[in-house]
């Protein structure tokens, strides 16, 4: 991130922002029109569509209820792996991982024989729409729940970019803003809390009231969604909280565009035990110990609420024959939805082949994929496992506070189209 | 089919049947144990699990309701393409299409430039478990709703094999039985009717009361399921009808094993119009007219109730580059769940590569695949489209009238395991 005083100051000049507005902005082969109103794009982490409908039906989210109608509330497909980083970076760039490179929290570097965390902007192969708008003179602000995303989303961004998790560490020099806690009027929340997401919304409202960015991106965390099913009191309370902030953003004149990084499903049996397919165990039995390397790209330093168990895995194998044997073995295992080779997986899911293993494995809706039992610490799970990552979590909401126009019926909508729709397909 | 008087007579000899019972039978690398009770395997066409649960909940299917409990009622994965013939032949052989060759109603023969109907047993690359039992001396009977299946299921079978559709044409010489209408006490039903399936059940009961086959297979038609959703009066009436026959088979001492060839889902929008992706139109736009050949393997002479619209298609393309372009185009189209190359599709779905196109396409739960609008006659659809074919119709019920034992937790159950479970995993 290259935020500086001068850059922030430039973003604040009306003339520069106006220039961006009139001319539009190009990023990753897409054109974004001017918007006379501020655009606030929101990524609600793990927002299965049912959460919105249940909260609306409960009467606790009256503003969201008003958006749930034809042409305002759409369904879109997220990126598979249906994980947070690949989808946030896709939304930020308006492009799939085959373009921007971020296909998980880490990948296996075969040449270096190392598992590489992709938490540094240097792993991104595309710039963000945010940076493009800022470079064109627009005022841009990005607020994330966790700090892991902030660095990626802030790549080359001349604007405001901070996380709720480390809101107290934001300085004008490094984050384009200081005194965030004072601005928001909330203390730094726990990284495992609903308040971490509320902080993001509260900051968004305060920024719109004060700085009034031309483009703002708010990205929450799925702490609540991992624990609480749609319609549960805890979930409805979360969406009720969100509802008030969304209404306020609307009242402040913003184009509000809400989508999700991925859906969320229960991944446990009737007794509450997680339904796990342990792939490393299986591969070791099938091919010999250590012949295969199973990568779970959901794994990151924050695994308490899902135990690093998701519905997407990729396997590095020693030979094409081993890959065939692996798929033949997986066909016979309960809980697997699909296992296909790298080339087909990368073509269909739009992933970067150099960061994907020889075989991609996706589990069924009620199942997750693990490596081996001893490598998953499930002691932090205080509720039956809910998680994501697969095709069953691919459909996500995409809501706007005005009607979406001129979308060809045949077009497959993606969550990373949210900025395209907000700038090009709604009336500001 | 090579039924003859002498073969039928042989099947009727207790000694021969006893020999089969004691020794067990082998077919397609699987061993089937003896059963002291007659085994009746039933394939209920298009039996989405919900049909059973809704009918049970309505009180109209009290016998089925008694089976819906742990260890008696399982869920299994059918073959994708989730169509009738590939699944019936898989059940009959205990093996997937990669073994038996029947991956749809027809395939495209590239060398001959011809679309070939696979309605002749010569296209089957494996023998049936039925024929193996009959050859070992067991009395075997197969009753289908439509005649299209009878010829395939009757391959090399020394036993009884007839269809409800042409029950009046059965002779002892050609079908191992005559006077079927008299035996069953029903007239030949319309090929598009619930009665066509009822005839199958009624025949099964009468056969068990008279011939008492050691192994009987009953296969119905999904006329009702294509029209009526789970829980609808028409659907509940069908399962109520079925319920009485199942109870009677149970009372007659049979091991009753029920599964389905595929599930069934609504494939229309809120206005009742079918959600169709026309693939030939799309490929013509993308690659030039006629460059691609789209095959819909659901197509057969009986298309009134689904208009040849299902959720599985395969596309023959002129080059690997065209296949890549096709997948890249399909990624952008609403309603597609997956598009992958032949090798990966055949490895995962266990299909015969020489009868599958360069790309396999599967549509989402609410969508079907067509060629071009003018090639689908939807005038016969008198109810909003319900159909099948894809991953969304892969989960089917597998019910037994006694508990299933000794199945490893990790084993993925398939509908074509139904005979294995009936002979090897329940107490007769």
């Amino acid at each position: 991130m290259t935020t500086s005083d001068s850059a922030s100051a430039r973003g604040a000049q009306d003339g520069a922002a106006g220039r961006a507005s009139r001319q539009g902005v190009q990023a990753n082969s897409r054109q974004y029109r001017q918007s006379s109103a501020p655009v606030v794009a929101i990524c609600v982490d793990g927002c299965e569509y049912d959460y919105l409908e249940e909260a609306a039906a409960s009467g606790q989210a009256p503003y969201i209820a008003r958006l749930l109608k034809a042409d305002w509330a759409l369904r879109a497909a997220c990126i598979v792996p249906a994980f947070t980083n690949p989808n946030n970076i896709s939304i930020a760039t308006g492009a799939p991982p085959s373009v921007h490179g971020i296909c998980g929290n880490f990948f296996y570097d075969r040449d270096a024989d190392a598992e590489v965390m992709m938490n540094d902007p240097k792993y991104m192969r595309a710039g963000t729409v945010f940076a493009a708008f800022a470079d064109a003179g627009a005022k841009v602000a990005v607020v994330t729940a966790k700090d892991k995303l902030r660095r990626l989303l802030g790549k080359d961004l001349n604007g405001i970019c901070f996380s709720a998790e480390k809101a107290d560490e934001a300085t004008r020099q490094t984050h384009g803003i200081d005194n965030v806690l004072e601005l928001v009027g909330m203390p730094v929340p726990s990284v495992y809390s609903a308040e971490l997401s509320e902080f993001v919304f509260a900051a968004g409202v305060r920024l719109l009231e004060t700085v009034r960015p031309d483009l703002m991106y708010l990205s929450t965390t799925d702490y609540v969604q991992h624990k609480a099913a749609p319609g549960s009191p805890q979930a409805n309370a979360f969406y009720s909280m969100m509802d008030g902030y969304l209404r306020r953003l609307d009242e402040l004149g913003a184009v509000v565009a809400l989508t999700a990084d991925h859906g969320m499903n229960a991944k446990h049996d009737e007794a509450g035990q997680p339904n796990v397919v342990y792939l490393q165990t299986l591969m070791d039995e099938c091919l010999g110990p250590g012949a295969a390397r199973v990568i779970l790209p959901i794994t990151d330093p924050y695994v308490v609420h899902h135990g690093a168990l998701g519905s997407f895995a990729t396997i590095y194998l020693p030979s094409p024959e081993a890959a065939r044997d692996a798929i033949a073995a997986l066909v016979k295992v309960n809980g697997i939805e699909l296992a296909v080779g790298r080339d087909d997986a990368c073509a269909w899911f739009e992933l970067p082949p150099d960061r994907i293993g020889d075989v991609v494995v996706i589990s069924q809706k009620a199942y997750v994929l693990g490596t081996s039992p001893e490598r998953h610490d499930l002691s932090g799970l205080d509720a039956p496992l809910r998680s994501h990552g697969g095709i069953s979590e691919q459909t996500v909401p995409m809501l706007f506070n005005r009607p979406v126009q001129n979308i060809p019926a045949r077009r497959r909508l993606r969550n990373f189209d949210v900025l395209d729709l907000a700038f090009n397909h709604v009336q500001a």
Side-chain angles (χ1 to χ4, degrees), chain A residues 363-387:
Chain A
S363 63
Q364 292 183 320
K365 185 175 177 181
Y367 287 79
V368 284
L369 303 169
T371 50
S372 47
E374 69 278 9
R375 287 168 62 185
H376 292 272
D377 177 8
L378 306 183
S379 62
L381 288 177
D382 55 6
L385 182 67
R386 299 172 54 76
S387 194

Side-chain angles (χ1 to χ4, degrees), chain A residues 399-416:
Chain A
L399 268 60
F400 299 85
N401 64 341
R402 51 205 75 197
V404 178
Q405 301 161 334
N406 304 320
I407 302 286
R410 207 169 72 184
R411 175 174 167 185
R412 183 187 186 207
L413 290 175
R414 308 301 302 267
N415 61 347
F416 60 84

Side-chain angles (χ1 to χ4, degrees), chain A residues 1 12 18 48 61 109 117 187 192 200 222 232 258 289-290 334 349 396:
Chain A
M1 204 176 71
E48 189 75 24
D109 182 336
M117 286 288 288
Y192 296 113
V200 174
D222 55 6
S232 64
L258 181 153
N334 197 27
F349 296 116
V396 295

